[in-house]
Amino acid sequence: MMYYYHYPYPLHPRPSVYLDYQYYHPLPRQYPQVDVKVFKKSIKSYRLLMDQGSILLDRLADSDFDVKLMSAAQQGNKAAVDSLIRSIGLSVPVITKFTPTGVTFELTVHPDHNAPMNCCTLKVQLQWGN
C-alpha cells in the first residue's frame, strides 16, 4: 500500500502582484548632472604621462644607457637604477621595479598639487630576458 502525505504549501509560491509590477514597470531613476571637470584634468594629466613615457622610452633605446641600466639591475643595485632613471630628467615621479626577466616603470602624476591622490598612472612593462 502506498501512503500519500499532503504538503499544504505549493512548491514554488507565486510572487506577489507588487513584485511583478516592479519587475515589468521599473520606477524611472533620477541621475545627477554629470561633472566632467575631474575627468578632463585626468585626460590632460595622462597626456603629460604619455609624453614623459615617450621620453623615457627614447632614452632607454640609447645603446649605452640600456647597458648601464641592465648591468645595475643585474647586480641588484636599485640605487644605481633609480639614479639612472632620475638622470633622464622626467618631470613626473617614476617607480622602477625589475626582475631577471623584465622591468616595470610606473609614472604617476597628481592632477592638482593640493590633491593627495594620484589621478593617473602609466605603467611601462618591458621584457629584457627569458
Side-chain angles (χ1 to χ4, degrees), residues 46 49 97 104-108 121-126:
Y46 208 80
L49 287 178
K97 298 176 186 170
T104 301
F105 302 99
E106 192 172 298
L107 291 76
T108 58
T121 302
L122 173 66
K123 267 190 180 176
V124 179
Q125 293 180 312
L126 302 170

Side-chain angles (χ1 to χ4, degrees), residues 16-41:
S16 72
V17 175
Y18 177 72
L19 291 177
D20 285 345
Y21 183 81
Q22 274 188 325
Y23 180 76
Y24 292 109
H25 304 292
L27 298 173
R29 295 190 177 163
Q30 297 284 330
Y31 294 104
Q33 184 70 24
V34 295
D35 183 7
V36 295
K37 285 185 259 179
V38 173
F39 188 54
K40 286 188 183 256
K41 283 182 183 179

Side-chain angles (χ1 to χ4, degrees), residues 14-83:
R14 184 155 172 23
S16 72
V17 175
Y18 177 72
L19 291 177
D20 285 345
Y21 183 81
Q22 274 188 325
Y23 180 76
Y24 292 109
H25 304 292
L27 298 173
R29 295 190 177 163
Q30 297 284 330
Y31 294 104
Q33 184 70 24
V34 295
D35 183 7
V36 295
K37 285 185 259 179
V38 173
F39 188 54
K40 286 188 183 256
K41 283 182 183 179
S42 294
I43 292 169
K44 185 177 179 181
S45 296
Y46 208 80
R47 287 187 192 275
L48 170 67
L49 287 178
M50 295 288 285
D51 292 340
Q52 294 296 296
S54 182
I55 293 169
L56 173 69
L57 290 174
D58 288 344
R59 186 69 173 121
L60 291 173
D62 181 276
S63 60
D64 290 336
F65 189 83
D66 61 0
V67 170
K68 289 178 190 175
L69 182 72
M70 287 182 72
S71 296
Q74 186 177 24
Q75 296 168 13
N77 192 346
K78 178 132 174 70
V81 170
D82 290 341
S83 176

